[in-house]
Amino acid sequence: MKKTLNVPNHVAIIMDGNGRWAKKRLLPRSTGHYFGGMNVQKIANYANNIGIKVLTLYAFSTENWNRPVDEVNFLMTKPIEIVTPKIDSIVKSNIKIIFIGRKDRVPKPLLSLMIKLESLTINNTGLLLNIAFDYGAYDELITAISKMKDSTIEELEKNLMISTPVDLLIRTSGEQRLSNFLLWQAAYAELYFTKKHWPAFTPKELSKAIIEFNKRDRRYGKIK
């Protein structure tokens, strides 16, 4: 990453294409999810090293419960196997982890791991890594509105799960839609779509996205 580049403050990624990555290699979808999960730490560490302040990853949506039962069960159990051996290195990385989304439907073993990661990294001062799990922007907005004491933007943002606006939103695997992800926060985000599947999305690919981000003219409705 060139030092002259403007590194976005908040990057959000829709981690799409695990199943397609696996299918292309004649492997089961679960293998794609495994390698997709393994890629999270690599990208988070790189984001931390280049000075990104906030990274939000879309791991499991409120709509993903409609997937086949076997696949959902895998997604509810495999993260424990992937993350547990990495806990020490995660804490030492100085990355702070927060899970956003509903907690009432997450199985207890996985929820316990989430709580443990948040607790162990609460004092870390590096990258803030938001992992959106059982998250949907509709659900976030409805919940926030129900807590509002008055009808102002400031009051709404105070009750959102994430208040930091997204500067760069990336979606892997070729699809070009937001899929109910950070709809409020991404109002003025620069959108970047790549055909690379998430397991194949390397730090080099993130660098390409940031280089493209630097070419955008961000006016926020104004005229320069």
Side-chain angles (χ1 to χ4, degrees):
M1 180 65 61
K2 295 180 180 180
K3 292 182 179 180
T4 54
L5 287 179
N6 175 29
V7 176
N9 181 67
H10 185 182
V11 175
I13 305 178
I14 300 174
M15 304 183 294
D16 195 15
N18 291 340
R20 277 165 280 184
W21 179 89
K23 183 178 180 181
K24 188 176 179 180
R25 290 160 178 78
L26 304 179
L27 298 169
R29 287 178 59 85
S30 58
T31 302
H33 290 307
Y34 174 79
F35 281 98
M38 294 291 286
N39 198 34
V40 169
Q41 188 177 23
K42 184 188 302 181
I43 295 300
N45 284 338
Y46 181 70
N48 187 37
N49 290 337
I50 63 173
I52 292 172
K53 301 301 182 185
V54 184
L55 176 64
T56 304
L57 301 179
Y58 205 9
F60 190 86
S61 76
T62 50
E63 291 76 32
N64 284 154
W65 292 104
N66 296 318
R67 292 190 174 190
V69 174
D70 289 347
E71 183 170 344
V72 171
N73 288 340
F74 182 90
L75 293 169
M76 293 297 145
T77 56
K78 200 63 177 180
I80 300 173
E81 179 183 327
I82 293 173
V83 173
T84 300
K86 297 175 177 290
I87 288 179
D88 287 343
S89 63
I90 291 171
V91 175
K92 290 178 182 177
S93 71
N94 200 32
I95 293 173
K96 181 177 181 178
I97 299 175
I98 294 178
F99 289 90
I100 65 166
R102 295 181 57 169
K103 302 294 192 299
D104 58 311
R105 299 187 291 191
V106 178
K108 287 185 178 180
L110 182 55
L111 183 59
S112 295
L113 177 63
M114 291 177 175
I115 294 170
K116 182 177 182 179
L117 285 172
E118 289 184 337
S119 176
L120 289 174
T121 64
I122 192 169
N123 294 318
N124 285 355
T125 57
L127 173 77
L128 172 59
L129 175 59
N130 298 308
I131 299 179
F133 199 92
D134 199 6
Y135 168 88
Y138 293 165
D139 183 73
E140 178 187 27
L141 287 167
I142 290 171
T143 302
I145 291 169
S146 71
K147 296 177 181 178
M148 291 175 63
K149 296 178 181 179
D150 55 69
S151 301
T152 63
I153 290 177
E154 293 75 17
E155 179 67 15
L156 175 61
E157 290 183 338
K158 186 176 74 174
N159 289 289
L160 291 173
M161 296 174 186
I162 294 178
S163 58
T164 310
V166 176
D167 298 298
L168 172 62
L169 191 148
I170 300 167
R171 180 165 188 154
T172 60
S173 201
E175 303 293 351
Q176 298 186 18
R177 54 180 177 269
L178 297 181
S179 296
N180 197 20
F181 183 49
L182 301 180
L183 299 181
W184 181 273
Q185 298 86 345
Y188 277 98
E190 298 299 323
L191 307 181
Y192 180 87
F193 302 105
T194 174
K195 292 183 179 179
K196 289 283 185 180
H197 303 309
W198 171 247
F201 187 82
T202 62
K204 183 178 179 180
E205 294 300 323
L206 180 53
S207 291
K208 287 181 182 179
I210 295 174
I211 290 170
E212 176 61 29
F213 171 80
N214 275 258
K215 297 176 183 178
R216 307 286 178 87
D217 184 11
R218 309 189 77 203
R219 298 189 299 274
Y220 299 95
K222 302 174 183 177
I223 296 176
K224 290 186 178 179

